[in-house]
Amino acid sequence: MTTGDPFGDAKASGFKIIRLPKGAAPQPPARSAPAPTSRPATDGPITPLDIVRWLREQGITPLPCRPKSKSPISQISRRGIYGDNAPAGDSFHVPTPERMAAVRAWWSNEDYHRQATVKDYSISVPLHPDWNSGRQVIVLDIDDTSLCDAVANAPALERCPVGTGKKGAKLFAFLDPDGGRPESPIVQYAPKDDPDHPALEIFTGSKHALIYGEHPDSTRERPILYAITRGFGEPFPVLTWEDIEKALEPIIQENGLVLKESGGAREPVDLVQAPRPRPRSGRTITDRLGLSITDVCTITDGVRCGDEIRGSHPVHGSTTGQNFAINPHENTWHCFRCGTGGGPLEWIAVEAEIIDCSEVRPGCLHGHWREVFDVLRAKGYEVDSPAPEDAPDPEITLDVEAEALEILEDGDPVDYLLDVFHSEHVSDDTIAKCCYVSAASRVVENTRGLHVLTTGPSGKGKSSSYDSILRQMPKESQIGGTLSDRALFYHDIPERAILVLDDKAMSEGLQELFRGATSDFRDPEPLRTVGARREPIVKMLPPRCVWWMASADDMADDQFHNRCLQPWCDDSEEADREFFEHMLHEEAYGDDEEEKARRFAVCRAMWSAIGAEVIPVWVPFAPAIRFGDMRNRRNGRIFVDLIKCFARIRFMQRPRDDRGRIIAAIDDFRDALTLYHELTDESGSQVNQLTPDEARILRLIELMHRESFNRNDLVAVSGLPALRVWRILHGRAERGTGGLLDKCPALTVQDVSVSVEEEGLRRGHREKRYYFDAGLYRAWSGRGAVTLDMDMAKSIFTQLSRSFPGLFPSWENTFARLSSVPFPEEREIERDRDREREGYPRESENTPRHTPPCPRVGDPDEVGKEVHPKNEMGVTTSLLSNGKPTGAGRSLPTLGNDREKTWEREVHLKNEMGHNTPLPGAIDPEDLIAAPPHQTKCQVCQSRPATLKSRDGQVWICDVCQRIILRARAREMGVQS
């Protein structure tokens, strides 16, 4: 894995790094040090084109492979070259004239390859002489990282280019044809006590070695790249086999390695009489197509070895004649060289070069199902049977269903659903995850149901997010549109329906229906009425229906909110920018609509499989869960239901006990905790029942650092209209909804008399004065924390793993997984680190930082008037009577095209007292505290008395300048007028 640090990459691959003191002369090493890298001059990082040119200069034909794969691009595969008429024994390793021409055509577009990255393709070096102008490439593959330094610096090998990947290293050279060659195209050395895992392999056969690209196990969080770490630009050395053996001999002896030998004589077997695989449940695609490993895989030299048939690998061959086995009874195969195996479908993909043999693992066919089914069609299998006329979703074909089952069994269903969701909608992960667990709650037997109420400003994507999520759900389960109070009782509503109310007002009758239906959604909700002749009529709303609602404002009372997951729509400026980038990219380049539709069909197939039956879920570690707030009992039940629903989505990857219950894993707790913290932090208000505007205004009140304020003060710092601020504080009586005064105990209001002196006259008036208790607010806002009692969890998992070792992992494995759980303490620490990396600098350092121009805000009595004119940088300065700024004579920095250089000069402005004068964008409002009465002036405007200071006492500012800073912060938080 490359990290950008060459020393770190070399050490990770097993090389020793020796650092000398500055000016010290290097001493001759015991062994030859790696040759200094000499690479062709490039204008930046090494591009694929640089690598191609380097190899071609040596007569080597680089082979293009798929991204994150050793498999060839489709243009040079067997099917790509010959279609269904490929000659026997052909593979992309064989340099036929047609394949050579296809490779040359691929590399001819230099403009494309100059800009390509590892996301576009990989590059490998073929070993076959016919690919390399008649020269045999030899590769030393070091799998044991402890051998890397010794082998790479051994005599005769120190000039070899070195490539690294996931582990170990590879050395490249040409084999001198006059100096002999190894007896086998693959020579393997392994430890005596572990002969099945070679530490060093030497390849000269029909193979290829990746030299550039991304490893199949690479992820965004942990990228793993193939790269040349030594010798790029230098020619491959020409070595004799005798030189290589002589260089490796002391290393092999010192490390106790032995040459792997082939097995003894084996008893031949007639494949025609091989036993057929036993019949299975018929749920998998393999069973439904009746695929047998003995039908799709033929071993020409197969012999009986117990229940298996062993022989040479039909694709990459064998030096021992027994590196491959099939088990007809289990309907599986195994490759001993690559350490991989699978069933008939995986073998079809390997044989057709859709994937490499070494890449076979659970989930390896993801993204390749279309190609696999093309091969099945060519082999004569009926994979395109028409869907029945009454099929609920004709787009769910057999290959779509196969991919859905594979994701449920071996992939991460939640990640796949989110990925497809983001192909149509940017941001709003929290809304999507809330809807997913809500949909899953319909098929969890022991849950009371999870319902979703999304809140956010109009036009910010609430409807769009619901539309994208509903497109992933089976259509027959969706009920939307405008609903009257009793309409649901008189329509044919299916059981386990999703009831969608998008920006629809909730009448009192509909709210009453919602409360009754959700108190325990496992039972039907009755409606008792009478007909035209006074006869009794009982109508039922089916059980297990969930409600998804969206509103631009608070739409109901606390009883209503307590029954819902309450995510917020992401209305930040960053989300707006991502939306426009996504929209404009789609308009300019478009998407593969057919592929997008197929991926949505895969999601619907996944939900069809998830919703096939109602199953109970057991959370064995529930006694170890601790809640910071136990006053709202529904939130505790909601959190446990989140765990159950994540386990239900991954039901194919979770064990079951003898009662048929799905056993939740610690990963389900982790995902539930992450979502719950999102709902109680930046993306929702599950505990405190706040709307986005209420939460942001409350945060601004905290940043004001004042015990009391009036409405005009909030208008000044937020930029919101006075009426909207009033509604946020007091609620809307006509809707029966309360505001912050009803929800937050730290905020109170009192009518006070205010006396103001103007032009020598004193006038009085009554106004509402709001009082804020910061300590009470911090205690109230932090009560939603959820943690795990580690001692009790250890006791539970230790006891369960001993009693049921097949069902429960050990505490050590569980604890390792808990290390990635975002507990509240770690979350706050990480947030502080993020602020240090990306947020405001410390005022004591006075590092200038540019922010968008701050809005102009005046005195409380003159809200909206211009008090601080701005310079070309957006920095406010106060004016004297002569119209010149108080800072006249001091050079204020300007941005222009020299913004970064301006900061690098570290401009420090001095006021009359000798203190550094901070720029408004360099002041962190969270670092300010109330200052005692004094004569110091504000260091920003230089005119008003300072009323606040930084915690280290280096920055002093006035109320007006603080409002300017808070207005900018309000915009960053998403407060929009």
Side-chain angles (χ1 to χ4, degrees):
M1 177 178 68
T2 60
T3 62
D5 175 13
F7 292 107
D9 295 340
K11 290 174 67 177
S13 297
F15 294 97
K16 297 177 181 177
I17 303 298
I18 301 175
R19 300 182 184 269
L20 298 176
K22 187 174 181 180
Q27 301 298 319
R31 288 198 182 109
S32 300
T37 298
S38 174
R39 45 172 287 194
T42 60
D43 295 332
I46 299 175
T47 67
L49 188 59
D50 297 328
I51 297 175
V52 170
R53 287 174 174 171
W54 172 49
L55 296 175
R56 280 183 162 179
E57 288 173 358
Q58 306 178 69
I60 299 172
T61 302
L63 297 181
C65 297
R66 305 180 187 200
K68 298 182 71 171
S69 174
K70 295 180 181 178
S71 300
I73 61 173
S74 58
Q75 291 91 324
I76 67 172
S77 66
R78 294 178 63 189
R79 294 181 59 81
I81 299 294
Y82 300 106
D84 296 333
N85 301 314
D90 179 73
S91 76
F92 83 100
H93 297 107
V94 180
T96 63
E98 297 86 355
R99 187 168 283 111
M100 293 282 282
V103 171
R104 285 193 296 270
W106 169 263
W107 294 122
S108 63
N109 187 354
E110 292 195 355
D111 290 337
Y112 169 73
H113 300 299
R114 189 177 290 109
Q115 302 176 27
T117 68
V118 293
K119 300 298 183 182
D120 298 304
Y121 54 78
S122 305
I123 301 175
S124 68
V125 175
L127 309 189
H128 198 291
D130 290 347
W131 282 112
N132 306 317
S133 306
R135 308 175 77 183
Q136 175 69 60
V137 172
I138 185 169
V139 175
L140 282 70
D141 188 358
I142 312 167
D143 290 329
D144 187 343
T145 56
S146 65
L147 302 178
C148 286
D149 183 67
V151 174
N153 292 295
L157 302 181
E158 71 274 8
R159 294 182 292 115
C160 295
V162 176
T164 58
K166 183 176 182 181
K167 63 176 182 177
K170 290 183 176 67
L171 276 62
F172 297 87
F174 286 120
L175 187 64
D176 188 342
D178 298 329
R181 62 184 300 118
E183 297 180 0
S184 171
I186 301 177
V187 179
Q188 298 176 315
Y189 294 96
K192 293 180 181 179
D193 55 351
D194 191 11
D196 292 331
H197 295 88
L200 174 63
E201 298 177 289
I202 305 170
F203 298 102
T204 56
S206 294
K207 188 176 172 64
H208 66 117
L210 282 175
I211 202 169
Y212 171 84
E214 192 172 10
H215 193 276
D217 293 339
S218 177
T219 62
R220 181 183 301 177
E221 296 76 18
R222 185 174 177 266
I224 306 173
L225 305 179
Y226 293 98
I228 297 297
T229 56
R230 185 183 79 179
F232 177 71
E234 299 291 339
F236 287 14
V238 180
L239 306 176
T240 66
W241 177 240
E242 183 179 354
D243 291 338
I244 296 173
E245 284 187 308
K246 186 176 179 180
L248 294 178
E249 183 178 0
I251 300 173
I252 292 172
Q253 292 179 355
E254 180 181 347
N255 290 275
L257 304 180
V258 296
L259 180 67
K260 288 192 66 174
E261 302 288 347
S262 61
R266 296 162 296 149
E267 178 184 351
V269 65
D270 183 5
L271 289 182
V272 177
Q273 298 178 358
R276 305 292 295 178
R278 66 169 182 256
R280 295 186 294 176
S281 63
R283 189 180 71 176
T284 67
I285 302 300
T286 297
D287 299 329
R288 291 170 61 177
L289 292 176
L291 297 177
S292 167
I293 190 64
T294 55
D295 291 339
V296 300
C297 179
T298 302
I299 307 178
T300 56
D301 59 348
V303 295
R304 170 73 64 191
C305 187
D307 290 338
E308 297 180 341
I309 301 168
R310 293 197 178 187
S312 300
H313 196 290
V315 174
H316 58 59
S318 173
T319 59
T320 63
Q322 55 174 353
N323 69 343
F324 186 76
I326 62 175
N327 190 320
H329 186 68
E330 298 292 336
N331 210 24
T332 58
W333 60 272
H334 183 78
C335 173
F336 295 95
R337 176 191 295 178
C338 301
T340 56
L345 289 169
E346 287 79 10
W347 176 252
I348 288 172
V350 170
E351 186 181 42
E353 296 177 353
I354 297 171
I355 59 174
D356 191 80
C357 182
S358 62
E359 297 170 352
V360 177
R361 58 178 54 82
C364 63
L365 297 184
H366 178 56
H368 300 298
W369 282 104
R370 280 188 173 182
E371 298 168 274
V372 172
F373 272 72
D374 286 342
V375 176
L376 288 170
R377 291 185 188 95
K379 290 179 176 290
Y381 288 92
E382 292 291 336
V383 297
D384 297 316
S385 54
E389 294 183 359
D390 58 346
D393 194 340
E395 291 185 5
I396 301 180
T397 56
L398 200 57
D399 61 319
V400 167
E401 186 178 351
E403 185 163 355
L405 291 175
E406 181 190 50
I407 295 169
L408 289 172
E409 291 175 353
D410 303 310
D412 190 326
V414 178
D415 280 355
Y416 184 83
L417 291 168
L418 286 172
D419 188 49
V420 177
F421 170 72
H422 286 310
S423 69
E424 243 185 19
H425 185 92
V426 297
S427 66
D428 290 326
D429 290 47
T430 304
I431 296 176
K433 288 189 286 187
C434 286
C435 291
Y436 297 152
V437 294
S438 173
S441 71
R442 299 172 302 159
V443 288
V444 177
E445 183 177 310
N446 53 333
T447 181
R448 293 179 180 271
L450 295 173
H451 314 278
V452 184
L453 171 59
T454 300
T455 309
S458 178
K460 291 298 184 179
K462 300 187 301 296
S463 301
S464 172
S465 61
Y466 276 2
D467 289 343
S468 297
I469 297 167
L470 289 170
R471 191 178 170 190
Q472 298 177 307
M473 303 287 169
K475 295 180 180 179
E476 63 271 13
S477 64
Q478 305 173 21
I479 304 295
T482 303
L483 301 174
S484 63
D485 295 356
R486 300 184 179 182
L488 294 175
F489 291 102
Y490 291 93
H491 287 75
D492 188 15
I493 305 296
E495 189 173 332
R496 292 180 279 179
I498 300 173
L499 308 176
V500 184
L501 282 74
D502 186 5
D503 272 335
K504 303 295 190 302
M506 293 283 285
S507 64
E508 184 58 38
L510 201 55
Q511 290 185 42
E512 184 179 348
L513 171 60
F514 172 80
R515 296 187 193 98
T518 58
S519 59
D520 191 345
F521 88 143
R522 294 172 293 187
D523 298 325
E525 176 68 11
L527 170 66
R528 293 180 171 84
T529 184
V530 294
R533 299 181 179 180
R534 303 284 183 175
E535 71 277 12
I537 298 176
V538 178
K539 296 287 185 179
M540 291 288 184
L541 179 64
R544 298 192 171 275
C545 294
V546 295
W547 299 63
W548 295 0
M549 297 155 287
S551 173
D553 206 345
D554 202 349
M555 65 186 302
D557 57 16
D558 287 346
Q559 290 189 34
F560 185 95
H561 286 278
N562 286 338
R563 289 170 162 81
C564 300
L565 300 174
Q566 300 175 61
W568 293 339
C569 178
D570 188 351
D571 59 347
S572 64
E573 291 184 356
E574 181 182 358
D576 293 339
R577 184 170 55 253
E578 290 178 358
F579 165 79
F580 277 99
E581 289 176 355
H582 179 79
M583 183 267 293
L584 295 174
H585 183 275
E586 274 195 336
E587 293 297 330
Y589 304 104
D591 282 339
D592 186 346
E593 292 299 328
E594 182 180 354
E595 176 61 22
K596 182 189 286 188
R598 185 181 184 279
R599 297 184 72 199
F600 275 98
V602 170
C603 295
R604 294 195 295 274
M606 290 167 57
W607 281 112
S608 295
I610 294 171
E613 57 179 330
V614 179
I615 309 173
V617 178
W618 177 32
V619 185
F621 49 85
I625 300 173
R626 298 290 179 265
F627 295 94
D629 176 33
M630 292 186 286
R631 287 174 291 181
N632 190 331
R633 300 181 182 182
R634 282 197 175 97
N635 279 333
R637 190 177 296 279
I638 283 175
F639 180 78
V640 176
D641 283 348
L642 289 178
I643 300 174
K644 295 176 183 178
C645 292
F646 276 113
R648 184 63 181 85
I649 294 174
R650 300 187 176 100
F651 75 108
M652 288 189 175
Q653 303 175 31
R654 297 291 179 259
R656 302 196 190 188
D657 64 4
D658 54 0
R659 295 163 57 182
R661 297 180 299 180
I662 297 171
I663 302 176
I666 206 68
D667 289 345
D668 304 315
F669 170 81
R670 178 197 61 203
D671 290 343
L673 187 63
T674 301
L675 177 56
Y676 193 76
H677 282 165
E678 291 173 1
L679 288 171
T680 57
D681 198 359
E682 294 94 352
S683 302
S685 186
Q686 190 65 38
V687 174
N688 297 326
Q689 313 291 332
L690 302 179
T691 66
D693 279 345
E694 290 171 346
R696 291 162 185 160
I697 288 296
L698 204 52
R699 179 66 174 143
L700 286 175
I701 293 173
E702 181 189 24
L703 293 176
M704 288 169 63
H705 300 287
R706 298 173 62 176
E707 293 183 358
S708 67
F709 55 91
N710 61 20
R711 183 174 62 172
N712 283 345
D713 294 332
L714 270 186
V715 171
V717 299
S718 67
L720 296 177
L723 177 59
R724 189 167 169 190
V725 171
W726 174 272
R727 288 176 173 175
I728 290 173
L729 293 172
H730 294 268
R732 303 187 67 170
E734 72 275 13
R735 295 186 179 181
T737 60
L740 283 177
L741 290 167
D742 291 331
K743 299 177 181 180
C744 179
L747 190 65
T748 57
V749 64
Q750 185 176 354
D751 286 328
V752 298
S753 297
V754 178
S755 178
V756 179
E757 184 173 349
E758 295 180 355
E759 299 179 355
L761 298 177
R762 181 171 296 277
R763 299 178 180 177
H765 66 273
R766 301 281 293 178
E767 72 173 20
K768 290 188 179 296
R769 196 78 184 168
Y770 302 91
Y771 297 87
F772 182 72
D773 187 329
L776 181 58
Y777 168 71
R778 284 190 290 271
W780 175 78
S781 61
R783 59 188 177 141
V786 177
T787 58
L788 200 67
D789 185 326
M790 290 300 182
D791 291 336
M792 180 170 287
K794 180 179 180 180
S795 174
I796 292 172
F797 278 100
T798 301
Q799 181 179 355
L800 290 174
S801 61
R802 290 174 179 173
S803 303
F804 309 98
L807 292 180
F808 295 93
S810 65
W811 167 247
E812 290 74 18
N813 292 337
T814 303
F815 184 77
R817 288 188 173 275
L818 279 173
S819 61
S820 62
V821 173
F823 287 111
E825 296 82 1
E826 289 81 357
R827 196 157 48 103
E828 291 300 324
I829 293 172
E830 184 61 29
R831 184 180 301 169
D832 291 342
R833 289 174 181 167
D834 290 341
R835 287 187 56 80
E836 291 175 4
R837 289 192 297 263
E838 305 173 3
Y840 295 86
R842 292 185 60 85
E843 286 72 14
S844 59
E845 299 169 0
N846 198 41
T847 306
R849 184 182 182 93
H850 175 65
T851 58
C854 300
R856 301 180 177 127
V857 182
D859 290 320
D861 297 330
E862 300 176 357
V863 174
K865 293 185 180 181
E866 293 184 8
V867 175
H868 299 292
K870 301 179 181 180
N871 63 9
E872 60 269 32
M873 190 181 170
V875 178
T876 58
T877 57
S878 64
L879 293 178
L880 297 179
S881 58
N882 60 4
K884 293 183 180 180
T886 57
R890 293 191 299 270
S891 175
L892 287 173
T894 59
L895 290 179
N897 297 324
D898 202 26
R899 179 182 302 174
E900 297 301 328
K901 295 181 181 178
T902 301
W903 297 151
E904 291 171 4
R905 295 192 194 106
E906 296 185 358
V907 177
H908 296 284
L909 308 178
K910 299 286 185 177
N911 61 17
E912 290 82 352
M913 298 181 63
H915 291 127
N916 289 328
T917 300
L919 302 174
I923 299 175
D924 182 357
E926 296 191 33
D927 192 52
L928 299 175
I929 57 176
H934 57 87
Q935 300 300 317
T936 304
K937 289 185 178 180
C938 172
Q939 292 173 249
V940 176
C941 68
Q942 302 290 333
S943 61
R944 293 178 177 78
T947 57
L948 298 106
K949 67 174 183 176
S950 62
R951 297 181 190 276
D952 57 10
Q954 297 295 316
V955 176
W956 297 72
I957 67 171
C958 64
D959 287 341
V960 177
C961 292
Q962 183 208 27
R963 292 189 189 112
I964 297 172
I965 297 170
L966 289 180
R967 177 76 71 89
R969 172 59 72 89
R971 278 218 312 268
E972 294 174 5
M973 293 166 57
V975 177
Q976 300 176 2
S977 57

